[in-house]
Amino acid sequence: MNERKIKKTYLGYQWALVTGASSGIGEAFAHELTGRGMNILLIARSEDKLSQLAHVLEQKKVSVRTYAVDLSSIGAADKVASWCIKEKIEPDLLVNNAGFGLFGTFEQHSPSEYADMIHLNVRSLTELCAFFLPAMVQRRRGGVINVASQAGLVPVPYYSVYGASKAYVVNFTYALWGEYRQQGIRLTCLAPGPTRTAFQKRAGSKSHGYMQQPREVVLSALAAFERNRPLVVTGSGRWVTSFFPVHLIPKTTVVSYVAKIFKPEKRITSLAKEKSSTGE
Ligand SMILES: NC(=O)c1ccc[n+]([C@@H]2O[C@H](COP(=O)([O-])OP(=O)(O)OC[C@H]3O[C@@H](n4cnc5c(N)ncnc54)[C@H](OP(=O)(O)O)[C@@H]3O)[C@@H](O)[C@H]2O)c1
């Protein structure tokens, strides 16, 4: 019998686009998705790290492309979309993972730092959905995983702008899920708790207690995505933020409690102290 070999791909998808793929959770997504036979486009600013990762992933006999761009700059998402058109790459899975937080009192950081964060965590994420989702809807195949945070589920003093940016991601993804769930499009918001990556250092914070490995987080995200769950919360604290009826408690009580947990004296890293003493 003349049997044709048909290459099985993850959920019938061909290409994944992962932002923030050069480290942490994004890098773990890249390993898991290529392990499932997907071709991948890796995006972040660090060209060297992306090339090194691409070299490793190519051993799995999948196509790997890299595109270095600063997603906190204006027009960055347009550049990604135009590049994909030029290279004839049509992502079936968009993983909007790139993001960062800034820890400390609100006045500790500058307006431009906040603008960069909002641009990356909110604006580019939205624009990338707007660029790639319509084609998925047309094909009736595809999905998006938007990476938020447990900090997006309750107001978090000392992570005020970061938490608010991630609250946007939670609500935005839920809303899209409501619009597209019956059109063959999967939409999942991943809200991780503390995870062992470069995140804490960049934020200028120390995390207390148990931290998950990025791979554990990604496996939970993919399991939820496969079942088209709109939200998956991972890590320590998920019982409080996702199962405990937080909405029944007055918000002022919740905020006072969270403020105690995130008191800067407990969490500020030597790096952040150095920064403030040198006036950077
Ligand atoms: N780790 C945690 O505890 C935790 C908890 C909740 C949510 N999260 C979320 O998880 C996501 C991934 O973070 P992570 O924990 O894996 O931290 P990470 O190791 O610092 O990774 C962040 C990734 O985003 C990329 N990135 C940062 N700024 C960028 C920019 N302006 N343009 C393009 N890419 C940029 C970084 O690459 P380059 O530096 O090369 O650009 C890196 O690949 C973030 O959205 C974060 O908010 C993390």
Side-chain angles (χ1 to χ4, degrees):
M1 204 166 70
N2 194 9
E3 275 184 33
R4 248 191 335 141
K5 268 198 180 168
I6 296 170
K7 194 182 165 198
K8 278 196 183 158
T9 56
Y10 182 59
L11 304 170
Y13 299 172
Q14 301 292 331
W15 278 91
L17 185 167
V18 179
T19 69
S22 63
S23 70
I25 295 171
E27 184 178 351
F29 265 115
H31 282 290
E32 290 306 316
L33 293 171
T34 49
R36 285 161 177 72
M38 287 200 78
N39 301 323
I40 199 157
L41 169 57
L42 309 168
I43 293 182
R45 290 167 304 176
S46 314
E47 211 162 353
D48 292 359
K49 284 191 194 169
L50 292 180
S51 305
Q52 279 169 26
L53 178 61
H55 185 67
V56 173
L57 299 177
E58 273 159 359
Q59 314 299 318
K60 300 183 198 176
K61 309 279 178 244
V62 293
S63 299
V64 183
R65 305 295 304 273
T66 63
Y67 187 75
V69 66
D70 180 351
L71 288 170
S72 67
S73 65
I74 290 177
D78 290 72
K79 284 186 195 158
V80 173
S82 307
W83 188 84
C84 285
I85 292 169
K86 187 166 73 71
E87 298 295 321
K88 298 193 169 47
I89 292 174
E90 293 184 346
D92 292 310
L93 171 56
L94 168 64
V95 182
N96 267 314
N97 161 78
F100 75 96
L102 289 171
F103 178 69
T105 55
F106 178 69
E107 85 277 5
Q108 209 175 310
H109 303 286
S110 69
S112 71
E113 284 178 300
Y114 288 134
D116 282 353
M117 193 202 300
I118 293 168
H119 203 118
L120 177 65
N121 296 5
V122 174
R123 184 172 169 167
S124 286
L125 173 141
T126 309
E127 288 179 340
L128 289 172
C129 287
F131 282 125
F132 294 113
L133 198 61
M136 294 178 193
V137 175
Q138 241 176 18
R139 293 195 294 273
R140 293 187 76 81
R141 186 187 69 236
V144 180
I145 298 175
N146 285 330
V147 181
S149 166
Q150 281 190 26
L153 303 174
V154 290
V156 184
Y158 312 113
Y159 263 126
S160 57
V161 178
Y162 174 69
S165 75
K166 294 299 188 177
Y168 173 95
V169 178
V170 174
N171 284 305
F172 173 59
T173 314
Y174 255 115
L176 292 183
W177 179 84
E179 288 182 39
Y180 294 107
R181 57 189 291 238
Q182 279 160 357
Q183 298 183 45
I185 307 299
R186 292 181 171 84
L187 277 135
T188 296
C189 177
L190 166 64
T195 309
R196 200 166 290 287
T197 68
F199 174 87
Q200 316 290 342
K201 193 174 174 200
R202 180 157 189 212
S205 161
K206 265 201 292 216
S207 189
H208 294 261
Y210 176 70
M211 293 185 102
Q212 279 196 301
Q213 292 300 331
R215 181 166 186 263
E216 288 176 71
V217 173
V218 167
L219 292 180
S220 301
L222 294 179
F225 181 72
E226 285 155 23
R227 285 176 287 146
N228 198 15
R229 289 277 161 86
L231 178 69
V232 54
V233 184
T234 62
S236 59
R238 71 184 183 284
W239 302 106
V240 179
T241 50
S242 52
F243 299 116
F244 195 72
V246 178
H247 58 285
L248 296 179
I249 304 170
K251 225 166 208 171
T252 46
T253 309
V254 174
V255 172
S256 306
Y257 175 73
V258 178
K260 277 187 195 147
I261 299 177
F262 282 89
K263 259 194 168 154
E265 306 87 78
K266 282 191 190 171
R267 291 174 162 253
I268 206 145
T269 59
S270 50
L271 185 88
K273 275 186 193 158
E274 239 170 64
K275 223 177 146 187
S276 66
S277 69
T278 56
E280 262 181 63

